[in-house]
Amino acid sequence: MALHALRRQQRKNNFIDLPGYGTFINETKASLIAADAALIAVDAHVGAQVTTEKVWDFCTEYDIPRAFVLTWMDRELASFERSMESLEQVFGRNVVPLQLPIGSERGFRGVIDLVGMKAHMYTLGGDGNRKSSRFHKRWKKMRNKRMRSLWKWSAEGDDELMEEFFREGTIPIEDLIPGVRKAIVAEKIFPVLMVSSTLNVGTASLLTFLADVFPHPDEHAQEGFKEPGGKGDRVERKYDDGQPLSLFVFKTLADPFAGRINYFKVKSGVLKNDATLTDFTRGSQERFQHIQVVQGKQLTEVGDLHAGDIGAIAKIERSLYGRHAWRQSGAAFLQARSDS
Ligand SMILES: Nc1nc2c(ncn2[C@@H]2O[C@H](COP(=O)(O)OP(=O)(O)OP(=O)(O)O)[C@@H](O)[C@H]2O)c(=O)[nH]1
Ligand SMILES: [Mg+2]
C-alpha cells in the first residue's frame, strides 16, 4: 500500500495505491475499506483479468462506486475496443466509456471527452496538462453509439429528462454531467477512462473526472454508536470538519525502523495532534501523539488532520487495528472523548 495526497483546483484527493498482483490481493481488500471510490487499473493490451474481477467483487461487497482506467494505452497491441469488449463481457453493459482515444499504441496522444464534447491533446512525456480543442463532427456517430446507456442511466429517475431522451435521443450536456455523477455514485454505471502513465497522456482528464464526477465527500454518511462497544444511540457522521471527531484504523504495519505504524482515516471532525481518543472497540484511551501524513515513503508530522484525510501514527505499542469491529457495528472505531 502506498499513500499520496494531491491538491488540485482547490480540492484534495487522497489516493491509496493498492497492489493488483494476486499474492497481495488480501492486502488490497483490507485497505480498500478506507476508500470512498475505486479506480481499477486495467492493462489496455490485456483487458479484464482474474484480479480485476476480485477487486470488482470487493468493491461490490463494500458498496464502493468504481471506474476503470485503461493503462498502458501507448503499448503495442493496446486496444480501446478490445478492452471495452472484455470489460463489458465480464462486468456487463453498464460499463461505459466516458472517453475515446485519439491515436493508438505509440500514436496515443489524447482523449475525446464524450460527456463534455471536447478533445484533449497531450504532449508526450510532458507535464500531464492538456490542450483542449473542439469536438469534430466526424466523432458524433461514435459518440452516439457509445452514449446510449449513459444517457439512459443519467436520465433515470428524472421524468422530464427521460421524456427529452426519448424525444430527442440525447440529453443536453448541462443535464448530463449531474446525471452521470448520480449514476456513478449510485453504482448504476461504471465509467471507463484511459491513460498512458509513462507518457503522461490523459492525466489532467483523469484528475478532472475525479474532481467533477466521482462521489463528493459530503455524499458519504457513516452510521455509528455514541458509546464504545456498539452501545448508546445511533449517530450519523459525515466528512465534515464541524462534526465530532471519528476515525478508524484500517491497517497496522510493522516497520523495521519506525516500529508499529497505524494507518487511519478521519471520518468526521478534526483530529488535533496530542488528542486523547477513546478506542470504541476496547473502551480504552489512546493518545494520538505525532500524527503524520504519508506521501509515498515520506512521513511528515502535522498539527491536525481533517475529515476525509488519511493519517499515520507510530509509537503506539499495540495494534489499533479494528476493521472488523468497525464493519460489524458500523461504528466509527475511535471517537473523541469530548464527543457527546
Ligand atoms: N509504456 C508504458 N509503460 C507503463 C505504463 N504504465 C506502467 N508502465 C510500466 O510498467 C511498470 C510498472 O508499473 P506500475 O504502475 O508500478 O504497475 P503496477 O500494476 O502498479 O504494479 P504493482 O504495484 O507491482 O502491482 C512501470 O515502471 C512502467 O515501466 C504505461 O502507461 N505505458
Ligand atoms: Mg502499483
Side-chain angles (χ1 to χ4, degrees), residues 251-263:
K251 191 179 183 69
T252 300
L253 267 186
D255 184 278
F257 302 105
R260 213 187 279 284
I261 303 180
N262 288 284
Y263 293 89

Side-chain angles (χ1 to χ4, degrees), residues 247 249 251-255 258-264 271 273-277 279 282 284-292 312-321 333-334:
L247 59 83
V249 176
K251 191 179 183 69
T252 300
L253 267 186
D255 184 278
R260 213 187 279 284
I261 303 180
N262 288 284
Y263 293 89
F264 59 86
L271 172 67
N273 191 34
D274 260 344
T276 299
L277 308 181
D279 178 334
R282 301 169 181 89
S284 58
Q285 303 287 308
E286 215 61 72
R287 194 156 163 216
F288 270 50
Q289 276 178 310
H290 308 293
I291 56 173
Q292 295 171 308
I313 176 166
K315 302 195 177 81
I316 288 183
E317 274 313 303
R318 55 195 193 79
S319 164
L320 295 179
Y321 182 63
F333 174 56
L334 287 156

Side-chain angles (χ1 to χ4, degrees), residues 131-288:
K131 275 209 187 74
S132 302
S133 57
R134 69 184 180 83
F135 191 84
H136 266 284
K137 272 206 194 100
R138 62 188 157 91
W139 295 332
K140 205 167 167 193
K141 225 167 130 189
M142 282 193 300
R143 177 174 191 261
N144 289 352
K145 180 180 147 215
R146 288 291 180 186
M147 294 288 280
R148 287 201 67 82
S149 53
L150 207 67
W151 280 321
K152 193 180 125 245
W153 282 114
S154 307
E156 222 223 7
D158 185 330
D159 293 344
E160 235 171 82
L161 219 53
M162 213 44 158
E163 256 172 48
E164 171 147 8
F165 171 56
F166 283 126
R167 205 175 47 236
E168 307 289 332
T170 67
I171 291 175
I173 289 180
E174 59 278 16
D175 294 323
L176 188 56
I177 293 172
V180 167
R181 263 185 54 68
K182 234 173 39 196
I184 293 172
V185 175
E187 297 164 57
K188 302 280 192 214
I189 59 167
F190 306 98
V192 181
L193 298 100
M194 60 202 72
V195 296
S196 161
S197 37
T198 41
L199 299 179
N200 222 351
V201 175
T203 317
S205 303
L206 178 64
L207 293 174
T208 302
F209 160 82
L210 293 178
D212 291 349
V213 188
F214 242 19
H216 291 175
D218 59 6
E219 282 162 344
H220 293 271
Q222 180 80 41
E223 277 219 336
F225 296 92
K226 264 199 166 168
E227 287 161 35
K231 296 197 187 90
D233 292 342
R234 277 193 164 265
V235 286
E236 199 185 77
R237 295 284 180 257
K238 281 190 173 169
Y239 289 117
D240 179 351
D241 282 357
Q243 291 204 334
L245 175 71
S246 63
L247 59 83
F248 77 100
V249 176
F250 62 92
K251 191 179 183 69
T252 300
L253 267 186
D255 184 278
F257 302 105
R260 213 187 279 284
I261 303 180
N262 288 284
Y263 293 89
F264 59 86
K265 167 125 171 182
V266 182
K267 298 294 281 187
S268 63
V270 180
L271 172 67
K272 297 231 182 292
N273 191 34
D274 260 344
T276 299
L277 308 181
T278 304
D279 178 334
F280 262 43
T281 308
R282 301 169 181 89
S284 58
Q285 303 287 308
E286 215 61 72
R287 194 156 163 216
F288 270 50

Side-chain angles (χ1 to χ4, degrees), residues 17-21 41 43 71-75 195-199:
D17 179 22
L18 296 172
Y21 195 64
D43 273 359
T71 59
W72 228 314
M73 282 295 288
D74 58 296
R75 190 179 159 144
V195 296
S196 161
S197 37
T198 41
L199 299 179

